[in-house]
Amino acid sequence: MKHLHIKIKVHFIIIAVISLSLTGMVKAQEKELLSFDEYLSLVGKKNLGYASQKYNVSMAEAAIQTAGMFPDPQLDLETTNNGVNKNMGYVYGTSIGWTLELGGKRKARINLAKNQSELSKIQLQDFFRNLRADASLSYIEALKSKALLEVQQDSYQNMLQLAKSDSIRYRLGTISLVTSKQSKLEAASLLNDVYQAESAGQQALTNLSVFLSDNPITGKDVAGDFNAFNRDFSIDDLILQALNERADLLAAKQNTQVAQSQVNLEKANRIIDLGISAGAERHTEATNEIAPSPTVNAVKLGVSIPLKFSNRRNAGLKIAEMAHSQAEVEYKQIELGIKAEVIQAYQQYTATQKQVKQFHNGMLTEAKSILEGITYSYKRGESSILEVLNAQRTYNDVRKDYYQALADNATALIELERKTGIWDINF
């Protein structure tokens, strides 16, 4: 009996040493946490697609300056030999010409450029709206993968401890060799699940770097509370908010302004422009014996009027007017589509809220208590190892479904706020 007591004590010491080693490994593998706000800030700074879209705004602003430019003047220089080999003198002249734009063409060009610039800014906002939502979904996926990994690790550790306990019980002769091997085999199988969950978590972290334009996320881990995604909304308020804030709807509305500016420019371009010129000439002395003449200086002014026969064909104006009508129809279509999107997103969010609430009503607690009860009975020899394994799998499935429901709820909230055009997510 004394020998048996010493042997059991040695086994407990080994288990304690293994536990301390595992704790030390966990501490050694702790990573710096990458918060959600920090991640979104990095996305705004390092995403190349977003940086590329910003150039559209800069180019549109530069186009405003170009649109406000006046026509360049034209300088003409000329000389004439009044009579070759007859000494009739020469004529030297210079003149400057300028086109006087009529009909408000310059103002129409500036208005069009300003409207296009405003459209590019709104489109940039819409690009970031979708970029922010997509990046947030990837962060949620990484957070879910981390939670599922913890489930697999907990399950493996529980089964590993049970396998060690069964090994001692087998040596004591209280269970059979088959039962002892069964628990060891289940622990080995759960370890493979841990490896698979680790791979899924690493892939989720790698996917985060895609939104940072391949800037690797090394030595960092995600962090957050899934329970921070609870909101109370009114569907009517959400629809009104979406119609006032959705950047793509604002862009569609601004596009109608751009189209109207194009119509105004086409109308202005149909107005004729005047060409104005002013110059001076110098006629040198003519020494011809038949018709001698002194040196003469002359000043000349001129106006040119184009004959715009092309105004009979107003295809450009008709195209601009049709483009404006098309933009108005597209705006109404987007408006109707947004209402449907918000309603569908709201319905999905309320459904996931109900699912999460179902888990909070005792499913997790009940599954855990069943596992603990059967494990306790098994250690006392009142239940079989198969009952323990079934209870363990049930508990694992419930925990996985719980984290999946939390992730679905977070995803539904992100999509709802994307569709609504609001953003207050922080966890």
Side-chain angles (χ1 to χ4, degrees), residues 130-415:
N130 289 301
L131 174 64
R132 178 180 56 193
D134 291 338
S136 300
L137 293 177
S138 292
Y139 194 92
I140 293 300
E141 184 64 26
L143 199 62
K144 183 189 75 173
S145 298
K146 180 182 178 180
L148 294 180
L149 174 59
E150 291 176 355
V151 171
Q152 293 300 144
Q153 289 175 334
D154 292 343
S155 178
Y156 167 67
Q157 291 298 327
N158 292 337
M159 189 55 61
L160 181 62
Q161 296 300 324
L162 186 62
K164 292 176 181 178
S165 176
D166 283 353
S167 179
I168 296 174
R169 294 173 64 194
Y170 166 67
R171 290 185 178 91
L172 295 176
T174 58
I175 61 173
S176 65
L177 177 61
V178 174
T179 302
S180 177
K181 287 184 177 181
Q182 180 68 36
S183 59
K184 289 180 180 179
L185 180 62
E186 188 67 22
S189 177
L190 289 175
L191 182 58
N192 286 334
D193 293 339
V194 171
Y195 293 151
Q196 184 176 3
E198 286 178 345
S199 176
Q202 292 170 356
Q203 292 177 38
L205 287 175
T206 302
N207 192 47
L208 295 183
S209 64
V210 174
F211 293 93
L212 303 179
S213 300
D214 289 335
N215 286 281
I217 300 177
T218 56
K220 293 188 177 182
D221 200 1
V222 294
D225 183 10
F226 272 127
N227 292 312
F229 293 89
N230 296 319
R231 304 287 192 281
D232 292 325
F233 294 115
S234 167
I235 185 60
D236 294 331
D237 292 341
L238 289 176
I239 293 176
L240 181 61
Q241 185 81 10
L243 296 179
N244 291 330
E245 301 294 337
R246 271 280 291 264
D248 54 344
L249 183 62
L250 296 177
K253 184 176 182 180
Q254 183 62 28
N255 192 43
T256 61
Q257 297 294 325
V258 172
Q260 183 59 55
S261 297
Q262 186 65 49
V263 171
N264 295 337
L265 180 58
E266 288 293 333
K267 290 180 178 179
N269 287 336
R270 294 174 60 83
I271 305 300
I272 62 172
D273 297 328
L274 296 180
I276 301 175
S277 61
E281 290 183 349
R282 180 178 177 82
H283 297 256
T284 62
E285 181 183 2
T287 59
N288 185 278
E289 295 180 354
I290 299 175
S293 62
T295 300
V296 178
N297 295 324
V299 176
K300 59 181 181 179
L301 299 174
V303 175
S304 62
I305 301 175
L307 303 177
K308 298 198 70 172
F309 297 110
S310 60
N311 275 352
R312 294 181 177 180
R313 300 181 179 181
N314 57 350
L317 178 59
K318 288 182 177 180
I319 293 174
E321 290 174 342
M322 287 186 288
H324 178 255
S325 299
Q326 183 185 43
E328 289 182 332
V329 173
E330 289 177 350
Y331 172 77
K332 294 178 181 179
Q333 179 63 31
I334 293 175
E335 186 178 38
L336 293 174
I338 286 177
K339 291 180 180 178
E341 289 177 0
V342 171
I343 293 174
Q344 291 171 349
Y346 176 76
Q347 292 169 342
Q348 177 64 24
Y349 179 66
T350 54
T352 57
Q353 285 271 284
K354 293 177 182 178
Q355 293 173 358
V356 172
K357 186 177 180 181
Q358 184 73 7
F359 282 98
H360 289 167
N361 285 337
M363 288 182 63
L364 280 172
T365 305
E366 185 176 355
K368 184 177 181 180
S369 63
I370 291 173
L371 174 61
E372 292 175 346
I374 292 179
T375 302
Y376 178 75
S377 299
Y378 170 71
K379 291 179 179 180
R380 297 184 60 183
E382 298 175 356
S383 59
S384 66
I385 184 64
L386 294 179
E387 291 178 294
V388 175
L389 298 181
N390 287 333
Q392 181 68 61
R393 292 191 183 99
T394 300
Y395 181 52
N396 289 349
D397 290 341
V398 171
R399 290 184 69 188
K400 290 178 182 178
D401 291 343
Y402 172 61
Y403 285 118
Q404 183 64 54
L406 288 175
D408 290 343
N409 181 65
T411 299
L413 178 61
I414 291 173
E415 290 294 348

Side-chain angles (χ1 to χ4, degrees), residues 20-144:
L20 291 173
S21 299
L22 290 173
T23 303
M25 290 176 61
V26 171
K27 291 183 178 179
Q29 293 177 354
E30 286 182 352
K31 298 180 180 180
E32 180 184 356
L33 295 180
L34 177 65
S35 68
F36 179 68
D37 286 343
E38 181 184 359
Y39 174 65
L40 284 187
S41 177
L42 290 174
V43 170
K45 295 176 181 177
K46 295 187 176 182
N47 186 269
L48 293 181
Y50 185 53
S52 175
Q53 291 293 319
K54 290 181 179 178
Y55 283 107
N56 292 335
V57 176
S58 299
M59 290 187 291
E61 291 177 345
I64 297 176
Q65 299 179 355
T66 303
M69 295 176 62
F70 291 97
D72 292 324
Q74 180 179 347
L75 179 64
D76 293 327
L77 299 174
E78 61 181 353
T79 181
T80 304
N81 186 350
N82 287 331
V84 180
N85 298 325
K86 293 184 179 180
N87 297 323
M88 294 295 293
Y90 298 89
V91 179
Y92 300 98
T94 181
S95 63
I96 185 170
W98 183 61
T99 301
L100 178 61
E101 292 184 315
L102 302 177
K105 294 183 179 64
R106 178 174 176 273
K107 182 179 179 181
R109 287 197 306 269
I110 293 175
N111 289 337
L112 175 60
K114 286 183 177 179
N115 285 326
Q116 289 175 334
S117 176
E118 186 64 26
L119 176 61
S120 66
K121 293 177 182 178
I122 298 174
Q123 289 174 335
L124 179 65
Q125 295 175 7
D126 189 52
F127 182 88
F128 184 71
R129 174 181 69 92
N130 289 301
L131 174 64
R132 178 180 56 193
D134 291 338
S136 300
L137 293 177
S138 292
Y139 194 92
I140 293 300
E141 184 64 26
L143 199 62
K144 183 189 75 173

